[in-house]
């Protein structure tokens, strides 16, 4: 369970640090918030397919195990994580 939490924290940090530049006046914030909410909704619903659909077709992830996963392996990973019953993911925006 600690590994899963670690992965979620890494994802949250990545989403949070994708803050728009000052010249952009926050133009990316609504999109980041929308995708973050989709992630939280899918995670808390236990919907691995919804999470996997948020990845680009050529995405690669490195879960806490350190294994390189891509394509259908990403779906399998999230099925495994969510199959353990973990829920309660929450994304909070932090000013950096």
């Amino acid at each position: 369970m600690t590994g899963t939490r670690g992965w979620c924290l890494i994802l949250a940090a990545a989403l949070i640090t994708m803050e728009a530049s000052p010249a952009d006046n926050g133009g990316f914030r609504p999109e980041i918030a929308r995708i973050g909410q989709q992630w939280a909704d899918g995670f808390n619903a236990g919907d691995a397919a919804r999470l996997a659909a948020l990845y680009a077709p050529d995405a690669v992830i490195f879960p806490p195990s350190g294994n390189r996963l891509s394509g259908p392996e990403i779906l399998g990973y999230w099925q495994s994580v969510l199959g353990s019953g973990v829920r309660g993911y929450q994304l909070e925006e932090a000013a950096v």
Side-chain angles (χ1 to χ4, degrees):
M1 183 105 132
T2 302
T4 302
R5 286 185 182 161
W7 176 245
C8 290
L9 288 174
I10 291 168
L11 174 66
L15 289 171
I16 290 168
T17 57
M18 291 171 46
E19 190 170 338
S21 69
D24 191 33
N25 294 325
F28 293 111
R29 286 178 172 262
E31 183 69 5
I32 293 169
R34 183 184 67 76
I35 293 170
Q37 189 59 54
Q38 286 179 344
W39 181 270
D41 292 346
F43 190 96
N44 292 325
D47 190 342
R50 195 177 342 170
L51 295 183
L54 293 172
Y55 288 89
D58 59 348
V60 174
I61 65 169
F62 294 88
S65 67
N67 296 328
R68 179 185 191 273
L69 304 177
S70 61
E73 295 171 323
I74 294 173
L75 173 60
Y77 171 74
W78 286 113
Q79 287 172 330
S80 173
V81 169
L82 297 172
S84 71
V86 65
R87 300 290 187 279
Y89 177 83
Q90 203 173 5
L91 180 64
E92 296 179 15
E93 185 176 333
V96 179

